[in-house]
């Protein structure tokens, strides 16, 4: 299994970049996790858009869905150019009926509902889900293939249930949107020390930090995480291939 960061920022992208998003690939199957601002542009540095086989959306804040409309339009253009593709499945929770309905578009994409405690087969992956603590309903997710797993926290405050959900995962991709001085002051997000604590308590083999703040120096977040978690940890690097 390969994991490639497509964007690393929370809220909105810095210049020439994208909000937090990851491409997960195995045996030629490509699954995009979240599709916010700048993601489509960044993704095309790795694969053509028509090579996408599935998309999974954690929640419906703009920094996780802003480019869905552009993705749908790209498939309409290919259709007009005589290069039609089967409908692209976009997996998302249906607790927000209005936003879930927008995942289905003109037979180009089709929304597929996902739920907490589901285990869904997406290509070669078994994907499971866990509710997070965020101002809107949001799902963490775990991709498993050949007894190897990648767990993505999505957007969340500290939540005890994530420890068991991420247990012994090979790669924990954790949001870390807060500096330590902001811990507890911004609902729905974790600081670096909490990401490190989650990795340590879950026994994660590797830690990757994402959904980073646009201000300050994010290496401080990595430092805070590494003070708690003594395994391999780094800030996610766009375009880097992480083998799991």
């Amino acid at each position: 299994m390969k994991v490639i960061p497509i964007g690393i920022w929370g809220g909105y992208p810095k210049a020439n970049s994208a909000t937090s998003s990851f491409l997960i690939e195995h045996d030629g199957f490509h699954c995009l996790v979240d599709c916010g601002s700048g993601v489509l542009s960044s993704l095309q540095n790795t694969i053509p858009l028509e090579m996408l086989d599935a998309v999974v959306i954690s929640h419906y804040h703009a920094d996780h869905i802003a480019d869905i409309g552009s993705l749908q339009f790209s498939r309409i253009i290919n259709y007009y150019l005589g290069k039609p593709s089967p409908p692209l499945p976009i997996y998302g929770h249906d607790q927000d009926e209005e936003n879930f309905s927008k995942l289905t578009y003109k037979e180009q994409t089709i929304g597929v509902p996902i739920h907490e405690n589901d285990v869904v087969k997406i290509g070669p992956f078994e994907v499971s889900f866990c509710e997070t603590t965020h101002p809107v309903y949001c799902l963490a997710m775990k991709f498993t293939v050949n007894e190897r797993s990648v767990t993505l926290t999505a957007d969340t405050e500290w939540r005890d249930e994530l420890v068991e959900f991420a247990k012994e995962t090979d790669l924990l991709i954790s949001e870390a949107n807060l500096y330590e001085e902001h811990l507890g002051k911004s609902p729905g997000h974790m600081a670096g020390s909490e990401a490190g604590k989650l990795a340590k308590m879950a026994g994660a083999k590797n830690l990757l930090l994402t959904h980073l703040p646009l201000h300050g120096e994010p290496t401080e977040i990595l430092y805070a995480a590494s003070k708690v978690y003594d395994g391999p940890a780094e800030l996610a690097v766009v375009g880097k291939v992480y083998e799991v």
Side-chain angles (χ1 to χ4, degrees), residues 139-199:
L139 292 172
M141 58 197 78
K142 179 190 290 183
F143 286 74
T144 303
V145 64
N146 297 335
E147 299 183 350
R148 307 285 285 180
S149 70
V150 175
T151 302
L152 302 98
T153 67
D155 289 14
T156 187
E157 295 177 24
W158 175 265
R159 187 177 178 92
D160 290 341
E161 290 84 350
L162 289 173
V163 175
E164 183 61 32
F165 184 69
K167 202 74 174 177
E168 303 298 330
T169 193
D170 294 283
L171 176 62
L172 174 63
I173 301 175
S174 179
E175 82 117 88
N177 193 240
L178 304 179
Y179 293 101
E180 296 305 302
E181 61 266 30
H182 301 136
L183 183 58
K185 298 178 182 178
S186 179
H189 295 289
M190 290 195 294
S193 61
E194 293 177 304
K197 177 184 174 182
L198 177 59

Side-chain angles (χ1 to χ4, degrees), residues 67-82:
D67 273 7
I68 288 290
S70 296
L71 174 60
Q72 291 166 330
F73 194 66
S74 76
R75 299 178 73 81
I76 286 283
I77 291 173
N78 275 344
Y79 176 81
Y80 289 149
L81 292 174

Side-chain angles (χ1 to χ4, degrees), residues 21 42 45 47 59 61 78-79 96 111 129 203:
S21 176
S42 181
N45 291 315
I47 60 169
H59 65 298
H61 275 160
N78 275 344
Y79 176 81
D96 181 334
F129 303 94

Side-chain angles (χ1 to χ4, degrees), residues 92-112:
H93 71 74
D94 56 5
Q95 297 215 8
D96 181 334
E97 293 182 2
E98 180 181 358
N99 276 303
F100 176 75
S101 70
K102 295 176 183 177
L103 302 183
T104 298
Y105 183 74
K106 293 187 177 181
E107 300 183 349
Q108 300 303 314
T109 61
I110 183 167
V112 182

Side-chain angles (χ1 to χ4, degrees), residues 3 85 112 155 174 198 210 227 234 241:
V3 178
S85 300
V112 182
D155 289 14
S174 179
L198 177 59
T210 188
K227 287 179 67 176
E234 63 178 281
V241 177

Side-chain angles (χ1 to χ4, degrees), residues 7-47:
I8 62 171
W9 302 109
Y12 64 92
K14 286 193 174 184
N16 306 311
S17 60
T19 54
S20 186
S21 176
F22 292 82
L23 185 68
I24 302 180
E25 187 271 336
H26 185 73
D27 284 348
F29 188 94
H30 300 90
C31 182
L32 181 67
V33 176
D34 285 330
C35 191
S37 301
V39 167
L40 248 60
S41 176
S42 181
L43 178 62
Q44 291 173 87
N45 291 315
T46 301
I47 60 169

